[in-house]
Amino acid sequence: MKKKLVSGLVSALLLVTFFTGSSSAKDADITNFDIVQAKKELVVKAQEAEKFKKQHNLITNQSKENVDHLLAKMVAEQEDATTIKQTMENNGLYKLDVPEKQFGTTSTDNSNVSLTTPDVYYDARNSEWIAVGGGYWRTDKWVEYIPKFWGTDGIGSTRGVGGLDGFGVAYTNLNGKYSSSVKSSYGYMSDGQGNEVTTTVRSDGDGSKGFGFQLRDAIRKKCTCIVYTSTPDNFSYIGKHFSGLTRYDQSFGSVSGNATTYYLHTYSSASISSIQFGISGKVAGLQYTITDSQYSWPAFSSDKKF
């Protein structure tokens, strides 16, 4: 038994050394960084890592949707980047590391929310690429949007906040011919307390210049109180955490550009009418129309190479 345990630990250590042994992308010069070549190298390393794991019985099998849910949840809930990376590698997903210096769109986070710059992963078990971005509310300002609840409304009752909220990833400055196809998508929203809304239906974009989701954010009652105060003790916000991802076929590896996470929050009578990607002169190439836009606001992450 001891021999088996030692063998397993050695195998795991060898795998970590094997996959992280190359020079880190964060040390590279962003202006000379060949993103397409980096993708090609990632595919080779990922396939070799999976072959090694298979030979040493280190493979854990989960459905693609379960893996997508796990990735979306971890991104939305701002798990530590190293933890996300290691967890995804355990499930056959390998992160594309790019130089840390950001450029292009300056982060325009609303003071209430924080957005992650998008990440790209290669799924070695399904030969697919994944782009993912998300964010979360870093303040409790959402309590200002709590609608009226009746005293008879029990624990778990929900009320919507304005129209649907929109979020996703937009692409700009694309290089190379886009010939990829979208394989699947996954949108996620939660209150960080176990109450989630998910979808596999993409709301916006065909994937070539970005993708997006529109989901209903809602306030959830946590107390049995008839008379209440609008505080996080009595309510939670399903919409406090959000993220979206899309899977592409292997051709996505030959395309490069800038990726930006976006978020459109609506409340009161505001609602999203339309969203378009790849529009020149717009932040992150995103053009959107919102009815009663005075009851809404946008947020964007910094750009990131992909």
Side-chain angles (χ1 to χ4, degrees):
M1 178 62 114
K2 187 185 282 187
K3 211 180 256 188
K4 266 189 180 178
L5 180 60
V6 172
S7 175
L9 289 172
V10 170
S11 296
L13 181 60
L14 284 172
L15 179 59
V16 171
T17 304
F18 165 75
F19 198 76
T20 60
S22 58
S23 59
S24 173
K26 69 181 179 181
D27 298 323
D29 180 354
I30 186 66
T31 57
N32 298 318
F33 188 73
D34 188 335
I35 197 77
V36 173
Q37 182 59 33
K39 286 181 179 178
K40 291 177 181 177
E41 292 173 1
L42 178 64
V43 170
V44 173
K45 290 180 181 179
Q47 290 172 340
E48 291 177 351
E50 286 300 298
K51 182 179 178 181
F52 179 91
K53 284 194 284 189
K54 189 173 182 179
Q55 291 172 341
H56 293 82
N57 297 315
L58 298 174
I59 296 286
T60 56
N61 290 310
Q62 287 203 62
S63 69
K64 280 202 298 185
E65 189 163 335
N66 283 345
V67 173
D68 289 350
H69 177 269
L70 181 60
L71 175 57
K73 178 181 173 69
M74 294 184 81
V75 169
E77 297 189 355
Q78 299 289 288
E79 291 278 356
D80 175 72
T82 300
T83 301
I84 297 176
K85 185 174 181 179
Q86 291 175 345
T87 302
M88 289 304 107
E89 286 184 10
N90 290 341
N91 288 281
L93 273 59
Y94 296 84
K95 184 180 175 182
L96 177 67
D97 287 321
V98 299
E100 291 181 356
K101 182 181 177 183
Q102 301 306 317
F103 51 92
T105 299
T106 301
S107 173
T108 55
D109 284 5
N110 177 279
S111 60
N112 295 322
V113 299
S114 179
L115 302 184
T116 66
T117 52
D119 283 319
V120 169
Y121 290 83
Y122 180 70
D123 183 347
R125 296 178 191 175
N126 294 287
S127 300
E128 294 176 354
W129 289 96
I130 300 172
V132 59
Y136 74 106
W137 282 64
R138 55 189 175 195
T139 72
D140 290 327
K141 284 287 189 178
W142 53 266
V143 298
E144 297 177 0
Y145 306 124
I146 294 178
K148 182 178 179 179
F149 279 77
W150 297 105
T152 53
D153 289 333
I155 293 176
S157 300
T158 60
R159 294 282 188 276
V161 179
L164 307 181
D165 276 3
F167 53 91
V169 176
Y171 305 141
T172 52
N173 297 333
L174 293 170
N175 297 302
K177 183 180 179 182
Y178 178 87
S179 59
S180 185
S181 63
V182 169
K183 307 301 287 185
S184 62
S185 296
Y186 196 89
Y188 176 91
M189 185 179 274
S190 83
D191 60 0
Q193 299 176 31
N195 301 293
E196 305 173 337
V197 177
T198 64
T199 182
T200 56
V201 179
R202 193 174 64 258
S203 303
D204 303 295
D206 63 5
S208 63
K209 296 176 181 176
F211 59 88
F213 303 87
Q214 293 185 41
L215 289 177
R216 167 69 65 194
D217 56 331
I219 302 295
R220 183 179 186 274
K221 191 177 181 185
K222 295 164 55 178
C223 65
T224 56
C225 44
I226 295 177
V227 178
Y228 59 83
T229 54
S230 297
T231 68
D233 291 331
N234 294 327
F235 298 91
S236 68
Y237 178 40
I238 303 173
K240 183 175 182 178
H241 303 271
F242 51 90
S243 67
L245 64 84
T246 287
R247 286 176 172 266
Y248 296 88
D249 65 16
Q250 293 226 63
S251 299
F252 190 75
S254 63
V255 179
S256 65
N258 302 340
T260 312
T261 302
Y262 73 88
Y263 173 65
L264 303 174
H265 178 62
T266 65
Y267 60 98
S268 186
S269 57
S271 61
I272 299 171
S273 300
S274 65
I275 294 178
Q276 291 178 285
F277 296 86
I279 306 301
S280 178
K282 298 294 181 179
V283 177
L286 193 74
Q287 179 169 292
Y288 52 89
T289 304
I290 298 178
T291 303
D292 288 344
S293 59
Q294 67 269 32
Y295 302 115
S296 69
W297 43 261
F300 297 89
S301 74
S302 298
D303 290 348
K304 190 175 186 179
K305 285 276 190 184
F306 76 91

